[in-house]
Amino acid sequence: MLRVGLTGGIGAGKSTVARRLAELGAVVVDADLAAREVVEPGTPGLAAVVERFGAGVLTPEGRLDRPALGRVVFADAEARADLNAIVHPLVAARRAELAAAAPAGAVVVEDVPLLVETGLTPAFPLVVVVHADVAERERRLVTERGMTPADARARIAAQAGDDERRAAADVWLDNPRRDGGPDPLPALVEALWHERLVPYARHLRAGERAPRAAQAVLVAPDPAWPAEAARAVARVRHVARDRALSVEHTGSTAVPGLLAKDVLDLQVVTADLATAGEVADDLLAAGLVRSGGRWYDRTPGGTTVDKAFAANADPGRAVNCHVRPATSPVWRHVLLFRDRLRADAGDREAYAALKQRLAAAPHADVDAYAEGKSDFVDAVLERAAATLPPPQLP
Ligand code: ADP
């Protein structure tokens, strides 16, 4: 099963996207519906809300009076936090229940208006954000949902801003105003479904990583890499929890200004090799598939040290996740190498030149490319050891 978190500011078009995905075959779990269920009359959720806010938030029939509660919480951040603390855990549990009922191999789209606000994005292997600008959302809420402009503005202001949502988004769907012209959104959603979600779910179910080109293609540094890596790191942390002594973005994409293969390298350090294997297995929940067989690093001394390895099932974002035991010397080398390249422009430029030579050589397959780098890496590590403090586990 692939769990997709779908979110967007109120009025952005999230429900419209969810409907289209449901038509295409997704199992849609609606957080708003779950949020209503957990405060139905007779539920512990409703009892807790009444205890905090008083019987004034009930209708004469004893149901939750949403407009009355809305007036209280939208005007008062503390009241809103209290309400969230009551309702969010109940909704999350209900959503998990609904998602778990979906068939194996399904694409489960969880439509969660406050996904970013509640900090739950790392729990989803993919986050889709639907976007429209604030003025257009306000217009939709007023003309199509009958809100007053002040009400619409207050609701928009109570949610996350565009920057926070952008940082959380693996997929960003722009849904600007349709002025009678063609609507580009359905085609965007269909492409997302066929080109990304369906193969992603298929790879997860088969326990296989997404295919990659055999050639090592170098690309210019992408300013999006740090944010993409931050999301991948957060997902890995979410899954590994305290079994991860450290989770870091490593490799060339972690060095600003360095050209690289478009692959995010992550390093997880665990107490021992057995834990590394367990974490690598569990990374499936973060969209990363463990590769079987023996995985190891070669040290500068020429010995080999075992590790575990997982890579992306997502056809849209290549990630290599190396899970190394703290007993391996290599985790320190990886951090030292990265930090030296970040700090030293000379080594960074020499490395970029070497990479380009290796990539341009005939038959530049991935293995030959890695082999050609090792002497250079050893020399950089020596300079790094002389200039940087040894990496520590936090
Ligand atoms: P959300 O679920 O994000 O709050 P909805 O999908 O319910 O948003 O959309 C809000 C309103 O705006 C709906 O009435 C919808 O029909 C309308 N809408 C959605 N997309 C557009 C668009 N591109 N242009 C104009 N109106 C739109």
Side-chain angles (χ1 to χ4, degrees):
M1 174 199 305
L2 169 64
R3 287 180 71 204
V4 178
L6 173 67
T7 194
I10 184 169
K14 188 176 50 59
S15 310
T16 308
V17 170
R19 271 195 300 279
R20 186 68 198 118
L21 287 170
E23 285 163 12
L24 289 164
V27 174
V28 174
V29 172
D30 181 340
D32 279 340
L33 195 65
R36 280 195 289 276
E37 288 172 352
V38 300
V39 289
E40 284 291 310
T43 58
L46 186 60
V49 169
V50 171
E51 190 180 322
R52 166 63 179 81
F53 296 98
V57 299
L58 291 177
T59 64
E61 297 77 37
R63 306 189 69 85
L64 187 62
D65 183 344
R66 288 176 173 278
L69 182 61
R71 279 189 294 276
V72 177
V73 299
F74 283 111
D76 177 347
E78 202 178 314
R80 198 156 66 234
D82 287 349
L83 179 64
N84 289 344
I86 295 169
V87 173
H88 286 167
L90 297 170
V91 176
R94 178 69 187 139
R95 279 208 331 263
E97 211 173 271
L98 293 168
V107 176
V108 176
V109 173
E110 297 192 36
D111 173 343
V112 189
L114 298 182
L115 185 63
V116 172
E117 292 81 349
T118 50
L120 291 175
T121 54
F124 291 89
L126 196 79
V127 171
V128 176
V129 172
V130 186
H131 171 75
D133 64 36
V134 169
E136 169 62 5
R137 286 159 56 203
E138 191 184 315
R139 188 195 67 80
R140 290 178 197 168
L141 294 177
V142 171
T143 60
E144 315 203 22
R145 290 213 196 139
M147 287 187 197
T148 67
D151 220 11
R153 271 196 293 274
R155 272 157 205 267
I156 289 170
Q159 297 189 334
D162 290 347
D163 291 348
E164 290 160 83
R165 274 197 210 91
R166 205 175 274 277
D170 300 296
V171 177
W172 182 262
L173 293 176
D174 258 316
N175 180 29
R177 180 171 184 175
R178 284 189 298 275
D179 276 320
D183 180 3
L185 194 63
L188 291 176
V189 176
E190 263 159 60
L192 170 66
W193 175 257
H194 292 295
E195 288 160 28
R196 195 153 184 186
L197 303 186
V198 168
Y200 194 163
R202 192 177 62 234
H203 297 320
L204 283 177
R205 187 177 193 190
E208 67 193 17
R209 50 191 274 190
R212 292 233 188 121
Q215 293 274 321
V217 183
L218 292 171
V219 299
D222 184 338
W225 282 338
E228 292 183 13
R231 288 195 295 276
V233 163
R235 288 186 173 114
V236 169
R237 286 213 171 102
H238 181 82
V239 167
R241 292 187 307 273
D242 58 1
R243 292 174 298 175
L245 306 176
S246 138
V247 183
E248 298 246 13
H249 178 206
T250 60
S252 292
T253 56
V255 179
L258 185 61
L259 84 181
K261 285 175 282 173
D262 190 7
V263 178
L264 303 175
D265 283 295
L266 305 183
Q267 171 172 273
V268 184
V269 181
T270 57
D272 51 42
L273 188 62
T275 311
E278 284 167 24
V279 167
D281 284 334
D282 292 353
L283 287 175
L284 200 65
L288 302 174
V289 178
R290 183 179 183 184
S291 289
R294 181 178 172 227
W295 283 81
Y296 59 89
D297 296 305
R298 212 173 282 283
T299 66
T303 58
T304 58
V305 201
D306 286 358
K307 64 180 172 185
F309 179 82
N312 56 292
D314 180 0
R317 173 25 76 208
V319 177
N320 284 347
C321 186
H322 305 261
V323 191
R324 297 187 166 99
T327 47
S328 164
V330 176
W331 69 263
R332 276 197 185 82
H333 299 165
V334 167
L335 296 179
L336 272 175
F337 185 72
R338 177 197 70 185
D339 292 347
R340 171 75 186 180
L341 292 187
R342 282 178 173 175
D344 190 279
D347 276 353
R348 195 163 59 238
E349 280 152 28
Y351 189 40
L354 171 64
K355 283 167 151 243
Q356 278 174 310
R357 275 202 306 283
L358 290 170
H363 313 301
D365 66 73
V366 177
D367 288 339
Y369 175 92
E371 188 82 10
K373 283 194 306 195
S374 68
D375 289 349
F376 177 84
V377 171
D378 293 350
V380 170
L381 281 179
E382 270 181 41
R383 289 194 286 280
T387 53
L388 294 168
Q392 305 286 335
L393 291 170

